[in-house]
Amino acid sequence: MISHVLIAIISVLLVAAYLAAVLAGNPVYSALSMGIAFFLTALLFVLLGAPFLAAVQVIIYVGAMLVLFLFIVMMFDLNKSSLTPVRFKPSTILSYFLIMLVLLTGFFVARSVVRMPSGFAITGFGSARNIGFNLMHYYLLPFELASFVLLVGVFGAIAFIKNRRGT
Amino acid sequence: MVDHVTVLIYALMCVVVFAVLLTTVAFLTLAERRISAFMQDRLGPNRVGPWGLLQPVADGIKFIMKEDIVPREANRLLYIVAPLMTIVPALLTFAVVPFGHDLFLPGRVINFQIANFNVGILYIFAIAAMGIFGIIIGGWASNNKYSLLGGLRSASQFISYEIAMSLAVIGVLMVYGSLRLNNIAQYQGSLWFGFLPKWGILVQPLGFIIFIVSVYAETNRVPFDLPEAEAELVGGYHTEYSSMKFAFFFMGEYANMITASALLATLYFGGWQVPYLHNIGFIFPGMGMLAMPQWLVAIIEVLSFAVKVGFFLFLFLWVRWTLPRFRFDQLTDLGWKVLIPLALLNVVITAVLIVLRVL
């Protein structure tokens, strides 16, 4: 019961943090509220019984991605906002709603089509051992494909730097 | 079912660990100056109290009495929040460090550890990852180019060395098969070939070297203290800070050193283990045993942990006053071109040895 209330509160804060990330005038504030949002997501994972995902969420998103974002954003001038503020034209709001509609439809379609593998909610759900086992047994192909996509990304990054140096 | 006495015991343990941590931080600042003085053939602060032992108290009073300056052009909110973002995660990380074997009392089991999370070491990495933002934000919010450079250096240094550190730890996790620091410490009590205690340093020598180098970089200590290199950046990220805000950055650094030393001891030197000491006393392979009451064993184990952590803290100070600072390109080269490939090699070798059932 308490966890339900906590999840509701955190969800509201989460939406507020992401809104702040989009609407903040100062890029550093944007990055920081995104960090808060990542942290709140991790809290949600903890409350849903997946502490491993929570830890990984903070390590990867806050510890690596956000540091990189801040690294770039900090180069902007402190007192001059380099971002143009978001303007709410009717077409913007309409397109937001359309995107939301598409995403929600996708979510419900996926939920009705994809069946959770049996024995999913067994004890140890969300533990490191269970996630590792599932990744290496039932989802090996998607896992390897994802790592291949990342590898291509790494090659792309290296290719960019090589071209810079050459000219 | 959680009974009230157990809750009370753990609450008391929180208070005690917190007090010990802060006291150690205070005396570590004194130890730093005394030891550096001895290494440079000086005396160091020895005027306040016997052997200068009350110097931390004098320092604390001085920090509180100093004028608290906020630069006019600084971002006021983030400037004030940044030191807190450093000190709070630094103190939180110690929560999962085990400092003794489980104590079996009639009716209950007491862990000598505040929180026995099942993600254990990942919790430390996650919280430590949030601690870096204090330095980055502090450097940016000061609106000073030296501070900003310190913050930027801190960001890139943290990312480079976090990868090597995590990969080094993966080797340990593969050998002991658990994320819980308590279990990792416990498994190091088992014997290898019948007589060698299976400590991390013996089964993961390369991993230990990678880990200790990365940890020095992660805690911003010499030879990797580039974010506050005073010769080129005035004071780095804390140039503009004064009074208690500066003290928070300072305390955060020392608290991180303590957690890092505790991790080094737990992952690679058996944590609270003493070789051949079990719950009932010393058992020497093939040479009989020496029975001991449980409370004596517990005291010996906590002392053993304290001695190991103390040694690594001393090593931090020793290295600081012995080695010169790296240049920044050397630092990034060492991280990306030497430590990360070596850490990957370590993971591969460990995996092969585990498959061959040597480890």
Side-chain angles (χ1 to χ4, degrees):
Chain A
M1 188 54 213
I2 295 174
S3 72
H4 281 108
V5 176
L6 277 179
I7 287 176
I9 295 173
I10 290 174
S11 305
V12 171
L13 288 176
L14 188 61
V15 173
Y18 271 123
L19 275 180
V22 177
L23 299 176
N26 188 326
V28 172
Y29 284 164
S30 278
L32 279 183
S33 35
M34 203 164 74
I36 294 170
F38 289 152
F39 182 70
L40 289 171
T41 317
L43 283 187
L44 273 188
F45 281 137
V46 171
L47 286 172
L48 293 172
F52 177 76
L53 271 188
V56 170
Q57 161 92 10
V58 173
I59 293 171
I60 303 288
Y61 283 87
V62 181
M65 274 181 54
L66 199 65
V67 173
L68 276 180
F69 278 163
L70 271 179
F71 195 91
I72 305 299
V73 154
M74 281 200 316
M75 307 281 198
F76 296 158
D77 197 329
L78 173 63
N79 290 321
K80 277 178 250 157
S81 163
S82 316
L83 295 177
T84 49
V86 184
R87 261 173 281 148
F88 286 101
K89 288 182 287 186
S91 58
T92 323
I93 296 175
L94 188 69
S95 56
Y96 280 159
F97 270 107
L98 277 177
I99 291 171
M100 281 288 277
L101 201 66
V102 170
L103 287 179
L104 277 179
T105 322
F107 171 71
F108 283 115
V109 168
R111 214 172 75 155
S112 62
V113 171
V114 178
R115 286 271 164 270
M116 296 286 184
S118 58
F120 197 68
I122 48 168
T123 50
F125 164 73
S127 70
R129 189 175 298 275
N130 211 4
I131 287 174
F133 182 82
N134 276 308
L135 271 184
M136 287 298 150
H137 282 78
Y138 302 117
Y139 304 104
L140 187 59
L141 191 64
F143 182 71
E144 292 293 336
L145 277 178
S147 69
F148 187 72
V149 170
L150 285 176
L151 188 68
V152 172
V154 171
F155 284 163
I158 292 171
F160 262 122
I161 296 166
K162 285 274 176 208
N163 282 346
R164 283 278 167 75
R165 287 258 170 87
T167 50
Chain B
M1 193 58 211
V2 184
D3 65 321
H4 297 301
V5 181
T6 311
V7 171
L8 200 68
I9 289 174
Y10 280 111
L12 201 67
M13 200 189 287
C14 285
V15 175
V16 169
V17 169
F18 196 67
V20 169
L21 199 57
L22 284 181
T23 315
T24 316
V25 166
F27 281 102
L28 203 54
T29 59
L30 175 66
E32 170 111 86
R33 282 182 283 167
R34 290 289 279 182
I35 290 173
S36 71
F38 287 132
M39 285 181 188
Q40 295 167 348
D41 202 14
R42 296 182 283 119
L43 280 176
N46 64 349
R47 295 286 115 185
V48 193
W51 307 291
L53 277 180
L54 291 178
Q55 182 71 30
V57 181
D59 285 341
I61 294 171
K62 185 181 157 196
F63 272 130
I64 293 172
M65 304 293 271
K66 283 252 178 186
E67 186 187 356
D68 188 17
I69 301 166
V70 180
R72 198 180 57 213
E73 296 294 316
N75 183 322
R76 218 185 147 77
L77 172 70
L78 292 182
Y79 182 84
I80 292 170
V81 171
L84 300 177
M85 287 167 77
T86 308
I87 184 90
V88 171
L91 294 175
L92 277 180
T93 42
F94 205 81
V96 294
V97 174
F99 43 89
H101 195 277
D102 295 352
L103 197 61
F104 297 99
L105 298 179
R108 62 178 61 89
V109 181
I110 301 297
N111 299 114
F112 272 131
Q113 185 184 21
I114 290 174
N116 192 6
F117 288 149
N118 57 2
V119 288
I121 188 151
L122 291 181
Y123 164 85
I124 291 188
F125 285 166
I127 301 292
M130 292 197 286
I132 200 68
F133 285 96
I135 293 177
I136 300 177
I137 292 298
W140 178 79
S142 303
N143 201 12
N144 169 329
K145 56 186 159 201
Y146 298 116
S147 302
L148 180 66
L149 281 174
L152 286 176
R153 282 182 173 190
S154 165
S156 70
Q157 183 175 329
F158 181 78
I159 292 186
S160 323
Y161 281 84
E162 199 188 23
I163 304 172
M165 184 173 72
S166 320
L167 283 173
V169 169
I170 283 178
V172 176
L173 299 181
M174 284 161 78
V175 173
Y176 300 116
S178 176
L179 287 171
R180 287 176 197 262
L181 287 170
N182 202 2
N183 291 356
I184 291 176
Q186 211 154 1
Y187 295 153
Q188 295 184 46
S190 57
L191 295 181
W192 204 22
F193 305 129
F195 67 100
L196 270 179
K198 205 174 171 184
W199 281 11
I201 180 76
L202 293 177
V203 293
Q204 288 282 314
L206 181 59
F208 170 71
I209 293 168
I210 297 165
F211 187 79
I212 195 168
V213 172
S214 321
V215 147
Y216 275 60
E218 294 278 301
T219 46
N220 291 332
R221 291 289 297 188
V222 171
F224 306 110
D225 68 335
L226 273 296
E228 50 172 302
E230 71 271 6
E232 37 198 289
L233 292 182
V234 190
Y237 61 91
H238 57 59
T239 305
E240 299 284 358
Y241 280 90
S242 56
S243 182
M244 259 335 253
K245 294 202 190 72
F246 170 73
F248 276 165
F249 276 127
F250 208 60
M251 286 159 68
E253 182 182 322
Y254 281 93
N256 280 333
M257 274 164 63
I258 295 171
T259 311
S261 305
L263 261 187
L264 279 164
T266 307
L267 293 177
Y268 294 99
F269 282 84
W272 35 262
Q273 298 275 359
V274 181
Y276 313 121
L277 182 64
H278 294 260
N279 239 358
I280 45 169
F282 280 100
I283 300 177
F284 301 103
M287 283 159 65
M289 65 173 288
L290 179 67
M292 277 182 187
Q294 204 192 353
W295 58 268
L296 189 61
V297 171
I299 290 174
I300 290 178
E301 283 173 347
V302 173
L303 275 180
S304 137
F305 181 72
V307 166
K308 285 168 188 171
V309 172
F311 169 75
F312 281 111
L313 285 175
F314 175 71
L315 195 67
F316 265 105
L317 305 184
W318 190 4
V319 167
R320 168 159 185 184
W321 298 100
T322 309
L323 294 181
R325 183 179 293 132
F326 273 64
R327 216 171 54 216
F328 198 72
D329 58 325
Q330 294 170 333
L331 172 109
T332 39
D333 275 2
L334 178 70
W336 286 97
K337 293 182 184 167
V338 180
L339 287 184
I340 293 178
L342 272 182
L344 284 170
L345 184 72
N346 184 47
V347 170
V348 172
I349 293 174
T350 311
V352 169
L353 289 182
I354 286 176
V355 170
L356 294 177
R357 301 198 181 279
V358 179
L359 289 178

